């Protein structure tokens, strides 16, 4: 099982028609593509990844045929919409592992991921690896969970994280934070930062009150809570 999530399933897929790169499209085609991406970004942020392709086409002011000409599948559209955020979160994993202070690395990672999750319902599901039609979903999920476990163990070994902390507690945090994604954009990031700060204080070493046993949670529960669609 890998220590860090792989980048293969999160790499952007081809989304331009007939193999053309976005820079090679005609001006009108580029405009349509940008409108589709903007409409999809808004729809996914508000409604999650279950936003229908036909609704995205209507929001963009194009016909379904135009949408499918640019993005033949929902997977390709989702990947194109969230390519930048994927890169940012993968970088956050790398930065957390490279930080010489394990506690700071763990806190920084959780803050960045939770902020992105609260701001955008679709991105929360997309980052967690639930991509219908992508063959390596299980591998991606296992890689992410192994990476989170490694961040946890580093902080424990440094004596900075309470010893009864379980990696599933991060999933518990993500589940709690996911409920903020439907709030106003003026509310969700502020509330997410406060929630994460509260919980990080309780995670620190030195707490003496014992915790109840951890719940058997995995990233799959967060994905199910986010409401990820089937292929289409």
């Amino acid at each position: 099982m890998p220590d860090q999530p792989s980048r293969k399933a999160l790499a952007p897929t081809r989304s331009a028609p007939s193999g053309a790169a976005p820079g090679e499209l005609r001006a009108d085609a580029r405009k349509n593509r940008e409108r589709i991406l903007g409409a999809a970004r808004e729809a996914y942020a508000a409604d999650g990844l279950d936003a229908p392709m036909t609704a995205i086409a209507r929001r963009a002011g194009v016909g379904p045929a135009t949408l499918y000409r640019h993005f033949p599948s929902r997977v390709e559209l989702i990947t194109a919409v969230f390519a930048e955020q994927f890169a940012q979160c993968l970088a956050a994993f790398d930065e957390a592992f490279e930080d010489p202070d394990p506690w700071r690395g763990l806190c920084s990672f959780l803050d960045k991921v939770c902020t992105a999750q609260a701001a955008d319902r679709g991105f929360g599901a997309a980052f967690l690896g639930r991509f219908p039609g992508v063959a390596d979903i299980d591998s991606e999920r296992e890689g992410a969970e192994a990476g989170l476990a490694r961040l946890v163990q580093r902080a424990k070994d440094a004596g900075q994280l309470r010893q009864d902390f379980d990696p599933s507690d991060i999933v518990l945090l993500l589940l709690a934070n996911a409920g903020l994604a439907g709030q106003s954009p003026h509310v969700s990031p502020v509330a997410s930062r406060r929630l994460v700060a509260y919980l990080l204080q309780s995670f620190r070493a030195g707490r003496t009150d014992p915790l109840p046993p951890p719940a058997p949670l995995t990233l799959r529960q967060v994905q199910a809570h986010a409401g990820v669609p089937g292929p289409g």
Side-chain angles (χ1 to χ4, degrees):
M1 182 181 294
D3 282 342
Q4 300 185 44
S6 72
R7 298 170 184 267
K8 181 168 59 175
L10 298 183
T13 59
R14 178 179 59 82
S15 56
S18 303
E24 298 172 350
L25 298 176
R26 299 190 315 272
D28 58 339
R30 283 200 303 273
K31 183 177 180 180
N32 282 339
R33 184 178 188 277
E34 290 168 1
R35 289 167 65 183
I36 292 167
L37 287 173
R41 195 171 291 116
E42 293 173 0
Y44 293 149
D47 303 323
L49 299 187
D50 56 352
M53 296 283 274
T54 52
I56 292 171
R58 286 196 300 271
R59 185 188 287 257
V62 302
T66 298
L67 186 152
Y68 282 105
R69 187 160 57 248
H70 285 272
F71 303 100
S73 73
R74 183 176 300 190
V75 172
E76 291 184 81
L77 178 57
I78 291 171
T79 304
V81 167
F82 295 114
E84 183 177 352
Q85 289 97 322
F86 288 155
Q88 291 172 352
C89 277
L90 288 169
F93 247 124
D94 292 340
E95 291 169 6
F97 287 124
E98 293 167 3
D99 195 317
D101 185 323
W103 174 254
R104 185 174 59 201
L106 175 63
C107 292
S108 176
F109 176 80
L110 292 176
D111 182 68
K112 289 175 183 176
V113 171
C114 287
T115 297
Q117 181 191 33
D120 189 330
R121 290 182 63 190
F123 176 67
F127 172 68
L128 289 165
R130 184 73 176 271
F131 268 81
V134 176
D136 290 336
I137 293 302
D138 288 339
S139 176
E140 281 298 324
R141 185 183 299 115
E142 290 175 0
E145 290 180 337
L148 291 172
R150 182 183 168 196
L151 289 177
V152 166
Q153 193 58 51
R154 287 179 74 230
K156 282 187 176 183
D157 290 345
Q160 298 169 312
L161 181 66
R162 56 187 303 158
Q163 290 301 306
D164 58 354
F165 185 91
D166 188 85
S168 66
D169 292 328
I170 292 180
V171 181
L172 190 63
L173 168 58
L174 292 173
L175 281 169
N177 192 67
L180 299 173
Q183 302 299 314
S184 159
H186 302 293
V187 171
S188 57
V190 177
S192 176
R193 284 192 294 270
R194 189 169 178 85
L195 172 67
V196 173
Y198 267 132
L199 292 177
L200 286 175
Q201 287 185 26
S202 70
F203 294 167
R204 292 213 67 155
R207 304 288 175 175
T208 57
D209 295 336
L211 293 171
L217 295 171
T218 68
L219 292 180
R220 190 184 301 272
Q221 275 92 339
V222 184
Q223 294 156 4
H225 181 79
V228 181

